[in-house]
Amino acid sequence: MAGLIDRAKNYVSEKVANMPKPEASVTDVDFKRLSRDSVEYLAYVSVSNPYSHAIPICEISYNLKSDGRTVVTGTVPDPGSLKASGSTMVEVGVKVPHSVMISLAKDIGRDWDIDYELLIRLTIDLPVIGDFSIPLSTKGEIKLPTFSDMFK
């Protein structure tokens, strides 16, 4: 009896491992807005859904790093769902307080940008499997807003 159960477990785990799963990539990170207390950036994440039905996104968490240290972390609760059999562009808003920008003064002073690494974890609810996380990472430079950006 135990051998039969083990074979059934192996069969199911093999089928689940070979199932197509959603894939994602960070396509861009751009300046969004400057406010009294923070600078906001948008990360654009393209997610492909191979299934013929919509899949809910449970949560998106992010960690913005600069110069090897964490600048800001956060989550996007209830970000919607992925459309069926297609690609969905998900926007992840990253809000960086001005007090944090001041701590990055050395990096900013060199070239008026922030060298960053953005780590994003997209958690979706797959039928049968349950919660499935897609880790993403991107590196680049974020240009800081200029005085003229405040009046756009």
Side-chain angles (χ1 to χ4, degrees), residues 38 42 51 56 67 77 80 103 131:
S38 64
L42 272 182
Y51 304 117
D67 202 23
S103 71
D131 285 355

Side-chain angles (χ1 to χ4, degrees), residues 15 21 24 30 55 69 76 78 91 100 124 136 150:
K15 290 296 180 189
K21 294 176 184 69
D30 283 327
I55 299 174
R69 63 180 188 196
V76 180
D78 194 26
E91 295 180 353
V100 173
I124 55 178
L136 303 166
M150 289 190 267

Side-chain angles (χ1 to χ4, degrees), residues 6-146:
D6 287 339
R7 284 195 309 213
K9 284 181 186 178
N10 289 338
Y11 177 79
V12 170
S13 60
E14 182 180 310
K15 290 296 180 189
V16 168
N18 292 327
M19 278 177 53
K21 294 176 184 69
E23 296 179 0
S25 63
V26 178
T27 60
D28 198 11
V29 178
D30 283 327
F31 169 77
K32 179 181 178 187
R33 156 182 42 226
L34 178 67
S35 66
R36 284 184 306 114
D37 59 343
S38 64
V39 178
E40 288 183 59
Y41 296 95
L42 272 182
Y44 297 93
V45 179
S46 177
V47 187
S48 64
N49 177 4
Y51 304 117
S52 59
H53 57 280
I55 299 174
I57 302 172
C58 300
E59 180 183 81
I60 299 173
S61 60
Y62 62 85
N63 183 349
L64 179 66
K65 294 182 175 187
S66 180
D67 202 23
R69 63 180 188 196
T70 296
V71 174
V72 67
T73 61
T75 59
V76 180
D78 194 26
S81 60
L82 305 175
K83 66 181 177 182
S85 302
S87 196
T88 303
M89 187 62 71
V90 179
E91 295 180 353
V92 180
V94 178
K95 189 183 250 187
V96 182
H98 290 308
S99 59
V100 173
M101 299 298 262
I102 292 169
S103 71
L104 299 173
K106 188 168 72 172
D107 182 34
I108 293 169
R110 285 192 298 256
D111 49 8
W112 203 246
D113 66 20
I114 299 172
D115 300 317
Y116 71 90
E117 179 181 16
L118 180 61
L119 307 169
I120 297 174
R121 180 168 300 277
L122 184 71
T123 305
I124 55 178
D125 185 18
L126 291 179
V128 179
I129 296 174
D131 285 355
F132 177 75
S133 291
I134 303 171
L136 303 166
S137 173
T138 187
K139 292 182 179 183
E141 294 179 343
I142 298 175
K143 290 292 181 191
L144 292 172
T146 60

